[in-house]
C-alpha cells in the first residue's frame, strides 16, 4: 500500500487519553511503528529503508558513554530534519530566557523569596502568546555552554503553537502544567499531559504544544549536561516511590504533506533561532531506542513516611533525580509532597525548620501546602537558597502546638506541591526580582514566631 494511502488510515487528530495508548517503562529500549513493516529489522541504517524512509539517529549522550547510561534513538522519517533553511536569530528577541547565569543577566540574594501566581484571566485578555513566547526564566545556575547547570522557568500561554515546533538544544525540559492540559506532539508521537502529571522532553527533540483548555500556566525545570533518572531506593527495597511501569512513552504517529513556511524555533545558548522548512518535523513513521519523551502521573507515586516518630527528610519523596559525579549530590532533584498519612507520635509533624546546603525552589499544583497556612497559592512559587532559613509559618506552628500530643493519625488531602532541589546556588533573573507578583511581605509569615522558652524543660 502506498504511504499516502496508509497514512489516511492510521493518522488521527485525537490525543491519547488512556494509558493503553502509550508504551510503558522507564529507561527501556522501545520500538514503535505507525505502519506495519516500516521499522527496519536486523540493522539500524539499511541502504534502503522500508517505504523509502530516511534513517536518522538522535543521540542524547556521547557515542562512548558507558552502556548503562548511553541514550539514543533511531527515527525513520519521510524527510530528514536537516532539510531546512539556515537558522536566523528570532525577532523580536525573547529577552526573558537565560542559560548562562552570571552578573550580567541575574542576581544573587539569600533572602527568602515568594511569588504569587500570575492570574490566568490576564493571560486570556492579553495578546496571543504560545508556549515558547510565554516561557520565562525565574532562576538558575551554571551554563548550557559548559554543559553543567540548571534553569527554572515558568510559562503562561493562551494560544496553541501554529505551524511551528520548538527544539531545546540546551538541555532537558521537565514540564509541570498547573492549569490547563497540554497536548504535546513530538517526533516520537503524541502526549496528553494534564495538571497532576509531568512530561520530560529530552534535549534535541522537536515538539509543539496545543492548549485544548485555553489559557494555561505551569512550571519548567531544565538541566544542562545530564538526564533525569529514577533515584536509588536503598533500604526501601525493590518497590516504592515512582514505579518504572507508570512512566508512559508515546507511540509512533506521523503527518505528511506540504507545510510551507513551517518554522523550527531552536533554543541555543538561551537565545532563540528560527529555520524555515516546507514540511512538518512530525514525519517519523517508525522509531526505536531509549532516548524518548515520557510522561508520569504524580498521583501514582507511592510515598513513604515515618510510622512512629520524627519527620522524614524530603528526599524520601524524590520522583526523579539528575545526579552529579559526587555520590548522593544532585544537580537537580524533583521531589513531591502528595496526599499521605501523618501518624508519627509526639512529633512536630509539619516540615522542620531548616537551613540547607542545597537550594530549594517550590511550586504548588493544587490545594495547599502543609507548612504554609496561607500565602502560598497554586501557580505560585518560592525560593529558599543555600543556607537560607525556612520552615513552617507562624500559623502552622501555633496550630500544630495547640493540637498537642492528642493529634491522632491524619491524612493530608487535596494537595500536590513539589520541589526542585539543587546543589548549585541559583541566580535570580531581574524580571523575577522586579515582578509585581513578588510577595514582598513573605518574611512576615515568620515574624510572629515567639519564644516558648520556659527554662523548665519539656513536659513530653
Amino acid at each position: 500500500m502506498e504511504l499516502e494511502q496508509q497514512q489516511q488510515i492510521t493518522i488521527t487528530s485525537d490525543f491519547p487519553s488512556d494509558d493503553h495508548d502509550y508504551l510503558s517503562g522507564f529507561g527501556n529500549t522501545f520500538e514503535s511503528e505507525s505502519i506495519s513493516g516500516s521499522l527496519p529489522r536486523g540493522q539500524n541504517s539499511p541502504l534502503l529503508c522500508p517505504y523509502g524512509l530516511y534513517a536518522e539517529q538522535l543521540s542524547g549522550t556521547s557515542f562512548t558513554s558507558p552502556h548503562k547510561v548511553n541514550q539514543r534513538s533511531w527515527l525513520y522519517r519521510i524527510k530528514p530534519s536537516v532539510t531546512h533553511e539556515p537558522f536566523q536569530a528570532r525577532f523580536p528577541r525573547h529577552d526573558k530566557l537565560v542559560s548562562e547565569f552570571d552578573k550580567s543577566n541575574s542576581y544573587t540574594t539569600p533572602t527568602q523569596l515568594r511569588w504569587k501566581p500570575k492570574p490566568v484571566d490576564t493571560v486570556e485578555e492579553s495578546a496571543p502568546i504560545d508556549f515558547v513566547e510565554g516561557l520565562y526564566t525565574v532562576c538558575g545556575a551554571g551554563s548550557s555552554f559548559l554543559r553543567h547547570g540548571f534553569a527554572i522557568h515558568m510559562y503562561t500561554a493562551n494560544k496553541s503553537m501554529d505551524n511551528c515546533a520548538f527544539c531545546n538544544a540546551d538541555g532537558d525540559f521537565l514540564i509541570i502544567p498547573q492549569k490547563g492540559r497540554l497536548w504535546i506532539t513530538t517526533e516520537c508521537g503524541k502526549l496528553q499531559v494534564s495538571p497532576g502529571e509531568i512530561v520530560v522532553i529530552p534535549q534535541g527533540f522537536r515538539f509543539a504544544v496545543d492548549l485544548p483548555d485555553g489559557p494555561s500556566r505551569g512550571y519548567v525545570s531544565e538541566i544542562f549536561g545530564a538526564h533525569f533518572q529514577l533515584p536509588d531506593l536503598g533500604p526501601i527495597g525493590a518497590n516504592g516511590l515512582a514505579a518504572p511501569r507508570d512512566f508512559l512513552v508515546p507511540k509512533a504517529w506521523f503527518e505528511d504533506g506540504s507545510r510551507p513556511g513551517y518554522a523550527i524555533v531552536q533554543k541555543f545558548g538561551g537565545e532563540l533561532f528560527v529555520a524555515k522548512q516546507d514540511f512538518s518535523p512530525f514525519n517519523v513513521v517508525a522509531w526505536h531506542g531509549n532516548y524518548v519523551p515520557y510522561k508520569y502521573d504524580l498521583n501514582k507515586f507511592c510515598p513513604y513516611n515515618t510510622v512512629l516518630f520524627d519527620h522524614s527528610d524530603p528526599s524520601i519523596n524524590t520522583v526523579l533525580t539528575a545526579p552529579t559525579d559526587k555520590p548522593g549530590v544532585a544537580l537537580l532533584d524533583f521531589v513531591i509532597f502528595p496526599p499521605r498519612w501523618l501518624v508519627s507520635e509526639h512529633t512536630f509533624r509539619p516540615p522542620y525548620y531548616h537551613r540547607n546546603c542545597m537550594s530549594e525552589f517550590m511550586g504548588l499544583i493544587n490545594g495547599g501546602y502543609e507548612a504554609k497556612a496561607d500565602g502560598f497559592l497554586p501557580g505560585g512559587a518560592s525560593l529558599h537558597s543555600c543556607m537560607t532559613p525556612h520552615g513552617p509559618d507562624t500559623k502552622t506552628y501555633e496550630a500544630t502546638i495547640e493540637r498537642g500530643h492528642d493529634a491522632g493519625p491524619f491524612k493530608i488531602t487535596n494537595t500536590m506541591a513539589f520541589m526542585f532541589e539543587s546543589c548549585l546556588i541559583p541566580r535570580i533573573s531581574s524580571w523575577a526580582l522586579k515582578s509585581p507578583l513578588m510577595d514582598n511581605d513573605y518574611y512576615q509569615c515568620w515574624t510572629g514566631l515567639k519564644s516558648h522558652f520556659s527554662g523548665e524543660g519539656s513536659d513530653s
Side-chain angles (χ1 to χ4, degrees):
M1 183 178 292
E2 292 296 325
L3 183 62
E4 292 79 9
Q5 294 174 316
Q6 188 75 17
Q7 183 226 16
Q8 293 176 1
I9 297 173
T10 57
I11 285 185
T12 172
S13 60
D14 294 334
F15 277 74
S17 58
D18 187 270
D19 288 0
H20 298 293
D21 296 329
Y22 297 92
L23 306 171
S24 70
F26 188 93
N28 298 16
T29 294
F30 302 93
E31 63 176 43
S32 182
E33 54 184 12
S34 54
I35 298 177
S36 179
S38 56
L39 194 65
R41 300 297 171 182
Q43 64 180 117
N44 295 320
S45 187
L47 178 63
L48 295 174
C49 294
Y51 291 94
L53 299 172
Y54 288 86
E56 178 178 292
Q57 182 176 201
L58 180 55
S59 296
T61 55
S62 65
F63 294 139
T64 53
S65 292
H67 182 72
K68 65 180 180 180
V69 296
N70 204 299
Q71 296 188 39
R72 64 91 178 94
S73 285
W74 281 89
L75 314 178
Y76 300 94
R77 54 197 322 148
I78 298 169
K79 291 184 70 174
S81 57
V82 72
T83 314
H84 62 77
E85 298 176 6
F87 280 101
Q88 306 289 338
R90 184 175 184 264
F91 291 101
R93 291 174 56 87
H94 193 315
D95 294 325
K96 292 187 176 181
L97 290 177
V98 181
S99 71
E100 185 89 358
F101 291 89
D102 57 41
K103 291 183 178 180
S104 70
N105 56 25
S106 52
Y107 301 86
T108 58
T109 176
T111 298
Q112 303 94 341
L113 302 176
R114 185 163 72 183
W115 293 270
K116 302 171 186 177
K118 185 172 184 177
V120 176
D121 55 355
T122 63
V123 178
E124 188 170 10
E125 295 170 359
S126 65
I129 300 172
D130 65 17
F131 177 83
V132 178
E133 295 160 338
L135 191 66
Y136 59 95
T137 306
V138 177
C139 62
S143 166
S144 64
F145 289 95
L146 299 179
R147 313 307 305 132
H148 181 67
F150 74 94
I152 295 173
H153 317 280
M154 298 181 74
Y155 72 87
T156 54
N158 60 11
K159 70 181 288 284
S160 299
M161 294 174 62
D162 182 28
N163 211 43
C164 66
F166 191 32
C167 176
N168 183 10
D170 293 334
D172 290 12
F173 275 158
L174 189 159
I175 303 172
I176 308 172
Q178 186 275 319
K179 186 171 183 65
R181 290 174 297 162
L182 304 180
W183 284 356
I184 302 179
T185 304
T186 75
E187 291 171 278
C188 287
K190 294 187 171 187
L191 298 133
Q192 177 172 251
V193 188
S194 302
E197 297 181 316
I198 63 168
V199 60
V200 172
I201 308 293
Q203 176 189 13
F205 270 96
R206 294 173 175 182
F207 67 98
V209 177
D210 289 328
L211 308 178
D213 302 326
S216 178
R217 69 184 174 201
Y219 311 85
V220 180
S221 70
E222 181 181 10
I223 50 175
F224 311 137
H227 299 298
F228 287 106
Q229 62 187 49
L230 294 176
D232 292 330
L233 297 185
I236 291 177
N239 306 288
L241 307 187
R245 67 182 297 195
D246 292 329
F247 289 83
L248 302 179
V249 171
K251 294 180 179 180
W253 178 93
F254 73 95
E255 59 185 3
D256 192 12
S258 176
R259 298 289 293 272
Y262 197 100
I264 303 297
V265 181
Q266 184 140 320
K267 188 167 85 71
F268 188 87
E271 299 182 39
L272 298 185
F273 297 83
V274 178
K276 295 295 184 67
Q277 58 188 47
D278 61 2
F279 63 97
S280 167
F282 309 120
N283 64 352
V284 177
V285 180
W287 61 267
H288 75 84
N290 64 350
Y291 193 53
V292 292
Y294 55 87
K295 75 168 193 168
Y296 175 73
D297 184 348
L298 299 177
N299 295 295
K300 294 184 177 181
F301 186 80
C302 179
Y304 279 70
N305 211 339
T306 55
V307 295
L308 190 58
F309 64 89
D310 277 352
H311 190 288
S312 297
D313 293 333
S315 53
I316 196 65
N317 289 321
T318 300
V319 181
L320 293 169
T321 182
T324 63
D325 294 336
K326 189 174 182 179
V329 178
L331 172 65
L332 197 75
D333 280 335
F334 173 57
V335 179
I336 64 171
F337 304 93
R340 63 200 185 281
W341 282 95
L342 303 181
V343 300
S344 53
E345 300 172 337
H346 51 83
T347 293
F348 185 76
R349 290 179 177 176
Y352 43 72
Y353 293 98
H354 193 203
R355 288 182 294 164
N356 193 355
C357 64
M358 307 283 276
S359 295
E360 305 174 7
F361 177 95
M362 287 197 63
L364 186 60
I365 301 171
N366 67 271
Y369 175 54
E370 59 190 297
K372 296 293 186 293
D374 50 29
F376 187 47
L377 304 173
S382 68
L383 176 64
H384 304 140
S385 293
C386 173
M387 292 303 174
T388 293
H390 55 279
D393 60 16
T394 303
K395 289 183 180 180
T396 300
Y397 180 86
E398 297 295 346
T400 302
I401 297 303
E402 185 177 349
R403 283 192 290 269
H405 294 294
D406 297 330
F410 174 75
K411 186 177 182 181
I412 300 175
T413 59
N414 185 34
T415 182
M416 186 62 75
F418 71 87
M419 177 173 70
F420 296 130
E421 185 178 63
S422 177
C423 66
L424 304 182
I425 299 176
R427 300 183 66 89
I428 302 96
S429 66
S430 60
W431 44 89
L433 281 177
K434 299 173 184 177
S435 170
L437 301 175
M438 174 69 77
D439 184 355
N440 294 311
D441 296 327
Y442 181 30
Y443 73 96
Q444 294 185 9
C445 78
W446 294 291
T447 56
L449 289 168
K450 59 186 178 181
S451 172
H452 292 267
F453 180 70
S454 66
E456 298 177 357
S458 172
D459 61 358
S460 61

